[in-house]
Amino acid sequence: MTVEVFDDRPEPMKSAFRAYLASLKLGITRGADRSRAVLAMAQALNRSFDDILEANTLDLEASREMAVPDLILDWLKLTPQRLETTVEILQRLGELPDPLRRVRNADYQLDDSQTYSQLMPLGVIAFIYEAFPDLGAIAAGLCIKTGNSIILKGGAEASHSNAAIANALQSAIAEVGLPSGCLELVSAEHGASIRDLVSQDQYLNLVIPYGRSSLVQQVVRQSTIPVLKSGMGNCYLYWSLNGSLEMVRGVILDSYQSEPDPVNAIEKVLIHRQALPSSLAVLWNSLKEKGFEIKADAELVEAFPQLQLAKDTEWGSAYLTKTVAFKLVDSLEVAIAWINQYSSGHADCIVTESYQESRQFALGVNSASTYINASPRFSRNPSRGDSVFLGMSNQKGHRRGLISLETLTTVKHIVQGNGRF
């Protein structure tokens, strides 16, 4: 296939082809060069604050005129602090050890040879995201660090912001001499749909959607490429008879502290039927004082008429606002079954002082992560460990749980023979 013929194709295909060619070169670059590129991206972003904030103002004004939901406006709005946090994350990524070329022992050994495995890049990753213009920069840093090319496709509501950020990052990549095409931006002006991008399976290796459940499900339905689903909201907490009121209150409040996207926010609470009504009232009043809206099942609403009834459809969907719904259950077993049916499946909690209950919950809940007497609060840049996280995955396919540098790699098995057959 010649480039001349290829230039007549739609923009998503051209972007995918350029990213593919770049990935072949990027995958064999030295770790020091990739780290240098990520640090240069951080510096370029830092120099471009004024341009990015000006572009973001244009997006916000246009979105308000189009009556974009307040939730999306919150995700869209950039502040100097959000940009500074993004720069810090990129700087940390640049300073972390190279995640590639790590040699591991293989699970098997062939006769007359030595077998080992090591982490390698996936190739080309498409990141499809709703608002969150700063996440495009973080995803780009994670991909470049792991030797992957990235194609960014943000929503139309953030078109100016995404372009300003991509321009800054692309200039940094060019300055350090990495191959052109490492970072591609498919903008709204190209008129390309999500389907146009996620059907380029001859060039792309993974798609990561980030946003509301409707966006994630759209990508899953239309993609011919493996999809790493991200989860957000609709996390459950089971309040055991052996758990304290203060622990429940603390876990709920802390789970909402990640901004602007409290990924692991507790939105549903299952309560043992024998819980004291006075404890429930104290918890609800405390949450209301913090600006929460309280909903409940029919049984609780009958006993506490001041509560708002949660519809049947709400138990399996995320609110993504400061809303918590409460439901009575007869036992831990019933709670586990309910969570497995309705939770988003990426982070669920139990508050209990019973070791037996905690083990039963941890093993029985079919979620990527379970928390016992601990807040599930999500941190993109935790203070401990050598990891930066893009989000949380709630599937059992490619990878499950926290989306980190290693998530964006694959394993290559290498067999070193000695000439005997």
Side-chain angles (χ1 to χ4, degrees):
M1 180 184 295
T2 65
V3 175
E4 287 75 18
V5 172
F6 194 83
D7 282 343
D8 294 332
R9 305 296 180 87
E11 184 60 31
M13 185 176 288
K14 289 192 284 187
S15 291
F17 184 65
R18 288 193 296 264
Y20 168 73
L21 292 179
S23 72
L24 299 178
K25 299 177 182 178
L26 184 61
I28 57 175
T29 56
R30 297 186 310 151
D33 294 333
R34 286 181 272 110
S35 294
R36 191 159 53 90
V38 176
L39 291 173
M41 290 161 65
Q43 294 170 2
L45 202 66
N46 194 45
R47 293 193 300 265
S48 304
F49 271 25
D50 291 343
D51 293 339
I52 295 170
L53 292 174
E54 182 178 345
N56 188 243
T57 299
L58 294 176
D59 287 330
L60 288 168
E61 291 174 351
S63 295
R64 292 190 181 103
E65 291 177 0
M66 297 176 62
V68 170
D70 290 341
L71 174 66
I72 303 301
L73 289 176
D74 288 340
W75 291 354
L76 173 60
K77 184 178 181 180
L78 290 176
T79 63
Q81 182 179 4
R82 274 181 69 176
L83 288 177
E84 288 168 4
T85 298
T86 305
V87 170
E88 291 172 1
I89 289 175
L90 290 177
Q91 288 174 336
R92 186 174 184 199
L93 280 172
E95 295 165 356
L96 289 176
D98 183 9
L100 300 181
R101 316 290 189 257
R102 295 179 182 175
V103 176
R104 299 176 173 180
N105 290 328
D107 296 330
Y108 65 93
Q109 293 293 328
L110 300 178
D111 293 339
D112 296 321
S113 65
Q114 181 182 5
T115 306
Y116 60 96
S117 62
Q118 64 185 62
L119 297 183
M120 302 291 289
L122 288 170
V124 181
I125 297 174
F127 184 56
I128 301 173
Y129 53 119
E130 194 173 25
F132 295 118
D134 48 327
L135 270 193
I138 295 171
L142 286 161
C143 286
I144 298 298
K145 182 75 175 184
T146 50
N148 296 290
S149 293
I150 183 170
I151 301 175
L152 297 175
K153 179 168 174 50
E157 72 284 341
S159 58
H160 294 92
S161 305
N162 292 338
I165 289 174
N167 287 337
L169 300 181
Q170 287 170 334
S171 66
I173 290 172
E175 286 175 8
V176 298
L178 288 190
S180 174
C182 285
L183 191 157
E184 291 283 328
L185 175 69
V186 177
S187 63
E189 66 186 30
H190 293 138
S193 67
I194 288 176
R195 187 189 298 273
D196 293 332
L197 179 60
V198 300
S199 59
Q200 304 301 320
D201 49 21
Q202 68 270 50
Y203 302 119
L204 270 64
N205 301 97
L206 182 69
V207 179
I208 304 176
Y210 194 93
R212 290 175 293 184
S213 177
S214 56
L215 171 70
V216 175
Q217 293 307 316
Q218 179 186 357
V219 172
V220 170
R221 289 193 306 269
Q222 297 180 350
S223 181
T224 60
I225 304 157
V227 177
L228 181 61
K229 296 191 298 181
S230 59
M232 185 187 299
N234 207 42
C235 301
Y236 272 75
L237 181 148
Y238 173 62
W239 183 3
S240 165
L241 286 176
N242 297 308
S244 72
L245 166 65
E246 281 306 309
M247 179 74 74
V248 171
R249 177 182 178 276
V251 166
I252 294 174
L253 292 178
D254 192 71
S255 72
Y256 281 82
Q257 294 305 303
S258 297
E259 294 182 350
D261 50 341
V263 175
N264 293 356
I266 298 295
E267 296 188 340
K268 309 295 190 313
V269 177
L270 303 180
I271 309 167
H272 195 285
R273 189 175 302 281
Q274 297 177 9
L276 295 175
S278 58
S279 296
L280 300 181
V282 169
L283 176 60
W284 294 333
N285 290 335
S286 176
L287 292 177
K288 286 179 180 178
E289 290 175 359
K290 297 293 185 179
F292 282 81
E293 180 182 356
I294 306 300
K295 294 189 174 186
D297 66 357
E299 190 173 351
L300 281 171
V301 170
E302 184 178 354
F304 301 90
Q306 71 274 21
L307 297 178
Q308 182 179 347
L309 179 65
K311 300 176 182 178
D312 291 344
T313 55
E314 294 179 25
W315 299 104
S317 59
Y319 293 124
L320 303 181
T321 59
K322 293 180 71 174
T323 303
V324 183
F326 292 79
K327 178 179 176 60
L328 293 177
V329 293
D330 292 322
S331 65
L332 172 60
E333 290 76 15
V334 173
I336 291 174
W338 184 273
I339 291 171
N340 286 340
Q341 182 173 357
Y342 294 104
S343 162
S344 53
H346 68 274
D348 295 292
C349 310
I350 183 173
V351 172
T352 180
E353 295 302 319
S354 166
Y355 174 77
Q356 181 177 353
E357 281 188 340
S358 68
R359 289 296 296 163
Q360 186 176 348
F361 182 88
L363 297 177
V365 170
N366 187 24
S367 298
S369 55
T370 53
Y371 297 80
I372 302 165
N373 298 329
S375 167
R377 178 179 177 179
F378 174 77
S379 175
R380 203 158 264 122
N381 187 17
S383 57
R384 298 181 180 179
D386 287 340
S387 292
V388 171
F389 305 118
L390 182 62
M392 290 282 290
S393 169
N394 57 356
Q395 68 186 49
K396 292 184 177 180
H398 172 65
R399 293 289 174 88
R400 198 179 191 201
L402 292 162
I403 301 174
S404 63
L405 287 169
E406 188 168 336
T407 310
L408 306 183
T409 64
T410 187
V411 175
K412 173 179 284 188
H413 293 279
I414 300 171
V415 179
Q416 177 67 55
N418 59 9
R420 297 180 184 177
F421 302 97

